[in-house]
Amino acid sequence: METYDLVIIGGGPAGMTAAIYGARAALKTLIIERGMPGGQAATTFEIANYPGFPQGTTGPDLAMAMFEQAQNMGAEFLNGEITAMDLQGELKKIEVGSTTVLGKTVILATGSEPRKLGVPGENKFRGRGVSYCATCDGAFFKDKDVVVVGGGDAAVEEGLYLTRFARKVTIVHRRDKLRANAAAQRRAFANEKISFVWNTVVEEILGDISVTGVRVKNLEKEAKGEPSESVLNTDGVFIYIGQIPNVEFFPDSLKRTPEGYIETDEHLRTNIPGVFAAGDVRDTVLRQLVTATADGAIAAMSALHYLESKE
Ligand code: NAP
């Protein structure tokens, strides 16, 4: 059974940056990742807003570069699903199938994933008109029409952001009231480029090579027995119906928000001594590559200080 100074769970940008900082500080460092390195970032084809790449880069290229950098620093990788973990006590125990590793510190960097609509066409047109990230993909929709699905802060704020590029932004919401904060609502209602389609759900995303429209259903009309289905023509669909943090196997004793995100202090310490959280899985205000990598650095340095305080 191998013992590490630092075990990082999740090999996205937060986890890999934590590994770069941890290994460079001479901590014996392991990253456990269930899929390919890179997390959500690796699934974004074009990344235009990560500093240092004036021509942009691609998610897979950036992920592989981070992976290589972490390995060059001496971090080890273990590919597999966590099957159990015990984070209490001085040595944290993590099981990956039949392999057990021990960590003096642990950084939880498992990320989150966008909640899916689960309608036909959603997966097929992902990256070809269907997006979960206006900051990443909004610029591709210059002078085009886009639909935003959802009624929370993300849908309204990202809908507002999309008006910088798009000719028209149509927010489709399943109720007749937004959940978003009042200030964002006021700005959206005052914005000439934004219109709302209320009490309506998306049933299918339509397209040929890329998205051409969405088939929608008006729930009020349906309840009255009136014809309720129609097609909205659009070039893109931005889905903002919430995020799901990846928190399987985390103990109940780990303090989390009602939505499941891990609560930390500004040193990214969780309520469990020696356990830190970084990136999208953390309760935070911005979920971007650049904030995830910053989190990774802070969490690794906090882990180092924790270990030093024990010497
Ligand atoms: P959210 O607040 O959970 O809102 C999700 C929205 O999607 C709700 O309006 C909900 O409708 C709708 N929805 C959920 N499931 C749906 C489905 N299956 N079909 C159709 N509509 C569905 O999520 P969020 O806007 O992503 O925000 C997440 C957290 O980040 C919140 O705490 C938010 O305050 C915070 N935040 C995000 C941003 C941002 O991303 N720009 C900015 C500031 C704060 P109902 O209203 O009917 O439930």
Side-chain angles (χ1 to χ4, degrees):
M1 211 182 304
E2 196 99 28
T3 301
Y4 291 85
D5 297 316
L6 174 59
V7 175
I8 299 160
I9 301 175
M16 286 199 284
T17 308
I20 291 166
Y21 276 73
R24 190 159 167 77
L27 300 182
K28 186 173 159 60
T29 299
L30 175 73
I31 297 189
I32 303 171
E33 165 61 46
R34 63 182 172 184
M36 293 286 288
Q40 278 199 71
T43 66
T44 306
F45 182 69
E46 193 166 340
I47 292 174
N49 56 3
Y50 193 70
F53 296 92
Q55 311 308 326
T57 182
T58 71
D61 283 353
L62 192 59
M64 288 321 289
M66 288 183 182
F67 181 54
E68 198 182 323
Q69 197 171 354
Q71 282 184 314
N72 289 348
M73 292 289 176
E76 295 173 41
F77 274 78
L78 174 62
N79 196 243
E81 286 268 356
I82 307 275
T83 43
M85 63 169 72
D86 180 1
L87 299 179
Q88 300 297 338
E90 290 289 306
L91 276 182
K92 324 297 180 191
K93 191 171 159 191
I94 294 137
E95 287 174 30
V96 181
S98 56
T99 307
T100 301
V101 295
L102 299 175
K104 295 178 188 169
T105 61
V106 169
I107 295 176
L108 304 171
T110 47
S112 69
E113 52 186 47
R115 182 174 291 132
K116 305 285 186 309
L117 273 172
V119 299
E122 184 175 17
N123 286 335
K124 184 175 171 193
F125 294 111
R126 185 170 181 167
R128 291 190 287 137
V130 171
S131 172
Y132 303 87
C133 180
T135 317
C136 319
D137 300 327
F140 298 125
F141 293 88
K142 192 161 166 41
D143 298 326
K144 300 205 163 160
D145 294 347
V146 296
V147 159
V148 174
V149 188
D153 283 333
V156 176
E157 289 184 5
E158 303 304 319
L160 279 160
Y161 176 76
L162 284 166
T163 61
R164 292 163 182 246
F165 313 102
R167 184 174 55 189
K168 191 171 143 221
V169 174
T170 305
I171 298 181
V172 175
H173 183 34
R174 65 182 176 185
R175 292 188 296 138
D176 63 356
K177 280 195 183 59
L178 296 171
R179 182 180 291 278
N181 68 79
Q185 290 197 29
R186 269 197 302 275
R187 286 172 55 220
F189 290 139
N191 191 308
E192 285 178 356
K193 282 190 172 180
I194 296 185
S195 61
F196 289 88
V197 176
W198 302 108
N199 301 307
T200 297
V201 291
V202 171
E203 294 215 300
E204 185 177 0
I205 296 168
L206 309 166
D208 37 49
I209 325 166
S210 58
V211 167
T212 55
V214 285
R215 190 163 56 79
V216 294
K217 182 169 73 181
N218 182 301
L219 299 174
E220 263 189 347
K221 287 186 180 162
E222 185 191 39
K224 288 184 199 154
E226 296 171 8
S228 57
E229 291 203 354
S230 58
V231 170
L232 300 176
N233 293 329
T234 186
D235 302 299
V237 184
F238 285 82
I239 299 166
Y240 279 112
I241 59 168
Q243 287 277 323
I244 310 174
N246 296 318
V247 293
E248 305 107 90
F249 296 110
F250 291 175
D252 291 343
S253 56
L254 183 71
K255 213 167 162 198
R256 287 187 259 156
T257 66
E259 297 80 30
Y261 294 102
I262 301 169
E263 291 185 17
T264 60
D265 64 11
E266 62 180 329
H267 299 272
L268 306 195
R269 294 179 286 222
T270 71
N271 65 313
I272 302 177
V275 178
F276 306 83
D280 283 8
V281 75
R282 189 172 81 77
D283 184 27
T284 182
V285 291
L286 186 65
R287 295 194 167 89
Q288 291 284 297
L289 245 167
V290 73
T291 49
T293 53
D295 268 14
I298 296 169
M301 289 301 97
S302 295
L304 176 68
H305 295 148
Y306 171 86
L307 289 168
E308 285 171 348
S309 74
K310 298 267 162 194
E311 281 169 2

